[in-house]
């Protein structure tokens, strides 16, 4: 009798389930806030602007040098390819769910990139939408709806202070002889020019539409070819032309199995040379040689491959070599585990020092890793709740059975199991009542700031 009384007293004072629920609520709120907000600020905050080395003239006025030598910060993103029906063939509710989770990732990353790094210029290397080229001429309304979605995800938070340049990708207009004329014209009307020269930080940024450059139709390729020849004339007519940085959606040609460097995530250590429906991994060799000989860039930046790659090209007829940096995709559903971008610092030079630039590859949060951590935390939470509830129900069953020394009947065991399951579900629901609003609040944060 004395043992039964002790069991009843222990049961009355047992607060294990409530204590576990309170602890799990705190853990889940912390995990959600970090996984949905904090990790973006941490990852983007860790990758800083590279410093371009500049030699200064000791006799020049220091204050004038500081003003003249102020660097221009450029963020480079590529292949956002906002998901649509053409991406994976989904429709209805499933498509909406996929769109939401892929869009919110890019929205968060781009917002935090602007807030933390505050670039003066953003260059998007193309493939704004996944199925832009697929929408027919009479489907402009559908295209405009998708582009509005793209604009809401890639919202420029400081339009007065930040210039944004969006290049065309093969998913936007096609490539070479398969360029879609109405898609190209629509891009020009709605987005902007596909061939541009931007002067910034003492450098000339040549945004060349190499997709149309590879077309055999002069009516399609004339704009890109005209820009390349303009760059040639500017280079040849100046004794000291500013450094030119070439931007292309598709990477330049290189020999098979040319290694891409240590930052590449793919099991293929080199950029492949494949061709398929409306895509190719590299430009043709003759296009590459033409671009390098005419423009003679100081560096090349490309996208399309979804993974990082750094190689060196030689320029025919010169002793110069030029580095090419392929920027990884900015979205997490691109076939590469970790999304990425790049930071480019342009220094105009001071006194007699020439302009210089520096590049830093950066990586975004591993989204699948975040989801895996949630699954693991969910399993641990259920285990902790089950253990706490089991202990409490075990005490209750032992007390009702007349003490721990008596055998618990089969019916009592069944009641224990059922009540245990209900207690665990109630505990999980109590945790979710706090964790779910925390998740919603984190998501709403990126729609309201």
């Amino acid at each position: 009798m004395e043992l039964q009384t002790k069991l009843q007293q222990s049961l009355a004072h047992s607060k294990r389930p409530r204590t576990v629920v309170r602890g799990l609520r705190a853990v889940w709120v912390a995990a959600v806030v970090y996984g949905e907000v904090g990790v973006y600020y941490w990852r983007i905050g860790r990758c800083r602007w590279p410093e371009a080395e500049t030699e200064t003239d000791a006799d020049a006025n220091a204050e004038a040098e500081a003003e003249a030598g102020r660097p221009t910060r450029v963020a480079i993103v590529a292949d956002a390819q906002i998901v649509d029906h053409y991406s994976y063939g989904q429709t209805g509710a499933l498509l909406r769910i996929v769109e939401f989770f892929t869009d919110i990732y890019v929205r968060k990353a781009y917002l935090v990139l602007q807030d933390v790094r505050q670039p003066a210029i953003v260059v998007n290397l193309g493939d704004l939408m996944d199925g832009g080229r697929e929408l027919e001429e009479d489907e402009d309304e559908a295209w405009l709806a998708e582009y509005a979605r793209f604009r809401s995800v890639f919202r420029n938070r400081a339009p007065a202070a930040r210039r944004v340049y969006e290049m065309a990708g093969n998913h936007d207009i096609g490539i070479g002889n398969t360029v879609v004329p109405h898609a190209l014209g629509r891009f020009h009307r709605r987005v902007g020019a596909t061939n541009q020269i931007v002067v910034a930080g003492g450098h000339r940024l040549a945004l060349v539409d190499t997709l149309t450059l590879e077309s055999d139709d002069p009516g399609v390729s004339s704009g890109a070819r005209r820009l390349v020849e303009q760059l040639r004339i500017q280079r040849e007519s100046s004794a000291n032309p500013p450094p030119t940085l070439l931007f292309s959606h598709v990477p330049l040609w290189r020999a098979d199995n040319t290694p891409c460097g240590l930052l590449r995530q793919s099991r293929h250590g080199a950029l492949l040379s494949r061709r398929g429906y409306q895509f190719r991994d590299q430009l043709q060799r003759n296009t590459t040689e033409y671009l390098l000989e005419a423009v003679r860039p100081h560096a090349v930046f490309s996208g399309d491959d979804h993974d990082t790659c750094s190689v060196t090209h030689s320029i025919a007829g010169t002793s110069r070599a030029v580095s090419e940096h392929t920027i990884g995709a900015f979205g997490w559903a691109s076939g590469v585990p970790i999304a990425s971008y790049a930071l480019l610092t342009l220094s105009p030079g001071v006194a007699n020092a020439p302009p210089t630039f520096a590049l830093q590859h950066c990586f975004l949060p591993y989204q699948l890793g975040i989801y895996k951590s949630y699954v693991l935390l969910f399993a641990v939470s259920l285990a902790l709740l089950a253990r706490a509830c089991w202990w409490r129900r075990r005490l209750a069953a032992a007390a009702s059975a007349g003490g721990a020394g008596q055998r618990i009947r089969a019916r009592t065991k069944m009641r224990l199991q059922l009540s245990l399951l209900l207690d665990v579900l109630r505990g999980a629901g109590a945790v979710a009542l706090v964790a779910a609003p925390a998740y919603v609040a984190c998501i709403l944060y990126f729609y309201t700031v």
Side-chain angles (χ1 to χ4, degrees), residues 147-175:
Y147 185 60
R149 184 175 141 227
F150 171 84
R151 288 259 57 89
S152 71
V153 170
F154 280 92
R155 180 167 63 92
N156 185 354
R157 289 170 54 78
R162 180 173 300 118
R163 291 181 284 166
V164 178
Y165 299 94
E166 293 164 350
M167 301 179 66
N170 55 298
H171 281 263
D172 301 311
I173 65 171
I175 184 170

Side-chain angles (χ1 to χ4, degrees), residues 101-154:
F101 284 104
T102 52
D103 283 5
I104 191 62
Y105 177 90
V106 176
R107 177 189 291 269
K108 288 189 284 189
Y110 194 60
L111 184 148
V112 176
L113 172 60
Q114 293 178 85
D115 281 356
V116 174
R117 289 291 151 243
Q118 298 184 346
I121 296 174
V122 176
V123 177
N124 191 321
L125 290 169
D127 277 357
L128 313 184
M129 296 177 282
D130 214 4
R133 68 192 174 202
E134 306 294 345
L135 294 170
E136 299 294 339
E137 197 166 4
D138 59 356
E139 295 181 291
D140 265 9
E141 291 301 319
W143 187 94
L144 285 172
E146 287 298 291
Y147 185 60
R149 184 175 141 227
F150 171 84
R151 288 259 57 89
S152 71
V153 170
F154 280 92

Side-chain angles (χ1 to χ4, degrees), residues 303-315:
D304 188 62
D305 183 56
H306 295 187
D307 204 349
T308 54
C309 184
S310 296
V311 299
T312 300
H313 301 279
S314 59
I315 301 178

